Structure formats: C-alpha cells, structure tokens
Amino acid sequence: MRSIHSYYLSLNVLAILHTILFYRIFGNIKPREVDLLDITYSAIDDPEVEKVVDEKVEQFVRNLENHGNQKGQISVTFHEKRTTRNAWFSRSEEDICWEQWAVTITTVICHSERDKLRIRKDMDRQLSTCLFNIIRYVNDKKDHIPPITSLDANPFPYQVNYSLYIYFYNLYIY
C-alpha cells in the first residue's frame, strides 16, 4: 500500500498545480478557496482550467499506480506567442516558454497504521511548505514575465505534462 493513497496523492498534486495556475494566469479570473486537510489554498474557479488540471492529474496518478512507480514528475509550462518575420511578407507564430514548474512526487510504502499517521503529518507539512514556496517565488520573481500584448482571457497559454521515472535493475547471474 502506498503512503499517499491515490485520493490524497491526487488532492496534493491538484493543490500544487492550482496554486501555480492561480498566480500565473493573468486574465480576468474568479478565485475560489479550497480546503485540503489543514490547509486552505486559492484556485481559479473556471471549468476549463479545472478540466485540464483534473484530467492530467488523473492520468499522472493512474500511470504512477499502474506502472508500480514510486516517483514521477508533473510540470506546468507557460508560453507566449511571438510573431516573427520569416521573409518579406511571411510571418510565423512561435511558442516561447517563459516559465516552467516541475514537481517531483515520491511515494513510499506504509507498513503500519503508525506509519500512515506519521506520513500524513509529513505530507501536510510538505504540502504547506511547497505552497508557501510557490507563493514566495511568484511574488519575488516577476522580471521574466513578458508584457501582456493580447486581450485574450488568458494571454499566456499553459501546458500540463507528466513523466514517470522508470527504474531498471541489473541482475547478474554467475
């Protein structure tokens, strides 16, 4: 049995991704508060954002569990679209990443109820620290954000991707 069972694993990853998106989507957003364990975090109240995040987190957790992995990474990248001239009259649009967040998730195996309680406390502490670090970073690091030149609801498209760490073991027989 994993220490963060898929329900809590999903909730933790959702909290992290929603916090990142809340502070980096610069359109006209409707905020909402979400309570998780002993933590309250801000998220965007937008069905489209929720759908994208929910689907990616569900895929990530399912793949993590189905492949027996104990470690995986989920990332959020923000892009700006720049128009460049190729020749005299031709133009092309280029997607340029201006920020990337990579969150590494490691699960451990619980052997007892006591382990579960200890890990639950660690999980609360780690999530709280993670969310605090995200907020501190987004408030401190703003110089790299490109100017908003679009009237789009979200001027900077984002992508959510994930990868799993695959461990290979060498077996030598003599």
Side-chain angles (χ1 to χ4, degrees), residues 1 4 10-11 14 17 21 26 39 69-70 73-74 76 88 115 117 120 125 129 138 145 152 162 165 168:
M1 181 173 166
I4 303 179
S10 296
L11 291 178
L14 285 170
L17 296 184
L21 293 171
F26 297 109
I39 300 167
N69 290 31
Q70 291 183 313
Q73 187 174 73
I74 193 160
V76 181
W88 284 90
D115 281 350
L117 291 173
R120 163 86 193 278
R125 182 185 47 75
T129 300
V138 297
I145 300 172
D152 294 342
Y162 65 89
Y165 293 94
F168 294 99

Side-chain angles (χ1 to χ4, degrees), residues 12-74:
N12 278 270
V13 176
L14 285 170
I16 293 167
L17 296 184
H18 278 295
T19 299
I20 292 167
L21 293 171
F22 181 80
Y23 288 98
R24 284 301 193 232
I25 291 183
F26 297 109
N28 187 13
I29 63 167
K30 181 180 174 188
R32 69 181 171 94
E33 285 187 354
V34 181
D35 293 319
L36 171 62
L37 305 171
D38 295 330
I39 300 167
T40 300
Y41 66 92
S42 297
I44 298 172
D45 191 9
D46 181 321
E48 187 177 314
V49 171
E50 287 182 43
K51 181 181 178 202
V52 168
V53 174
D54 287 349
E55 285 175 359
K56 288 294 183 174
V57 169
E58 183 183 321
Q59 291 170 10
F60 172 69
V61 170
R62 188 174 349 108
N63 279 305
L64 200 61
E65 290 175 337
N66 288 345
H67 292 98
N69 290 31
Q70 291 183 313
K71 196 171 192 177
Q73 187 174 73
I74 193 160

Side-chain angles (χ1 to χ4, degrees), residues 86-127:
N86 294 341
W88 284 90
F89 297 106
S90 67
R91 292 177 182 251
S92 66
E93 218 171 60
E94 191 178 10
D95 235 7
I96 297 175
C97 178
W98 56 268
E99 186 170 270
Q100 178 176 355
W101 294 81
V103 180
T104 301
I105 303 294
T106 305
T107 61
V108 294
I109 297 171
C110 290
H111 298 288
S112 67
E113 284 299 315
R114 191 170 160 203
D115 281 350
K116 282 184 189 178
L117 291 173
R118 182 184 53 77
I119 288 171
R120 163 86 193 278
K121 286 180 185 176
D122 286 348
M123 185 176 61
D124 285 351
R125 182 185 47 75
Q126 288 176 3
L127 180 60

